[in-house]
Amino acid sequence: MTSSELWTRATADRYDAEEAETSSAAVLGPTLAFLAELAGDGRALEFAIGTGRVGVPLRERGVPVVGIELSEHMAAVLRRKTDESTLPVAIGDMATTVVPGEFTLVYLVYNTITNLLTQDEQVECFRNAARHLEPGGRFVIELGVPPLRFLPPGQVAVPFDVSERHLGFDTFDLVEQILVSHHFTRDGDDGRYRRGSSRHRYAWPAELDLMARIAGLELERRVADWDGGLFTQDSAKHISVWRKPT
């Protein structure tokens, strides 16, 4: 079992529409190029593959992809796009589920490691990645840097999106390293908003590096975006690559 919150059918059915911008060729292009280069001639395993936003177009680029996904509803949406023989998906959590074979690349994008709500489970996720990697293979994580610099004393909320159709803000439990993302989404033109929230355990880059060391992986590089920009103290997110020694 995992502490991850299980995505519902309603969430899965509207996921692709809500993520249309992040699924565009302009946004996904650098992501796919980055991952395809690391996969090389080998296979890739995506933890929390969801509806296949990344995995399906990566497979279309010629990279054999296998997925692990906790939500059967999310996997059902993916299955509308491609069949099991083309892109196999195992239903289970990314910290413990094992699929056959070895991979040159395991990747976990879009802040999804934070769906694991305990440090122990996040460590097990790294161990599971290492378990699937062949020697010399890489584990890639895309993760935002916790925006705690925006919190003055006494404040616990940080907005991350204020637009015509969506209001989003995070609230923080600084002791447990838990943030709750709150969403108010305008679905139609009648002025009504749908409210939703999700819990996440945020982690710092240095903490992830220690998790990697526990799993026997070594940091190879860390960049600020999929284009390979320089990671600095002002970067809002990072793409980190750990390598399994040969």
Side-chain angles (χ1 to χ4, degrees), residues 59 64-65 82-88:
R59 179 66 184 88
V65 176
T82 186
D83 59 43
E84 177 71 16
S85 62
T86 302
L87 203 167

Side-chain angles (χ1 to χ4, degrees), residues 164-230:
E164 182 180 355
R165 306 197 72 87
H166 179 254
L167 301 175
F169 62 91
D170 293 330
T171 55
F172 293 84
D173 179 335
L174 302 181
V175 174
E176 299 296 332
Q177 286 185 214
I178 296 293
L179 70 84
V180 181
S181 287
H182 305 266
H183 301 268
F184 294 84
T185 306
R186 186 177 178 182
D187 283 330
D189 295 323
D190 58 2
R192 289 188 292 183
Y193 283 76
R194 170 173 43 85
R195 179 178 180 177
S197 63
S198 59
R199 293 189 302 152
H200 306 268
R201 182 186 186 273
Y202 64 85
W204 300 95
E207 185 180 5
L208 298 183
D209 290 342
L210 184 56
M211 294 180 189
R213 289 182 61 186
I214 291 171
L217 304 176
E218 302 171 347
L219 180 66
E220 185 172 72
R221 60 172 157 153
R222 174 168 291 127
V223 293
D225 51 47
W226 294 107
D227 289 311
L230 180 65

Side-chain angles (χ1 to χ4, degrees), residues 9 18 29 40 49 51 64-65 67-68 76 121 143 146 174 183 191 220 228:
R9 176 174 305 197
E18 293 183 344
I49 194 170
T51 66
V65 176
I68 293 174
E121 286 180 343
L143 183 60
L174 302 181
H183 301 268
E220 185 172 72

Side-chain angles (χ1 to χ4, degrees), residues 66-130:
V66 176
I68 293 174
E69 173 55 42
L70 182 62
S71 170
E72 293 186 37
H73 301 302
M74 295 288 278
V77 175
L78 181 153
R79 195 51 67 221
R80 300 170 195 164
K81 305 171 184 178
T82 186
D83 59 43
E84 177 71 16
S85 62
T86 302
L87 203 167
V89 175
I91 301 300
D93 72 90
M94 56 189 165
T96 62
T97 302
V98 177
V99 298
E102 291 187 323
F103 299 82
T104 57
L105 173 67
V106 178
Y107 65 95
L108 178 55
V109 298
Y110 214 29
N111 303 320
T112 313
I113 193 172
T114 66
N115 290 2
L116 298 170
L117 298 179
T118 70
Q119 186 183 69
D120 285 345
E121 286 180 343
Q122 290 178 353
V123 169
E124 288 306 312
C125 181
F126 272 82
R127 284 178 166 154
N128 200 29

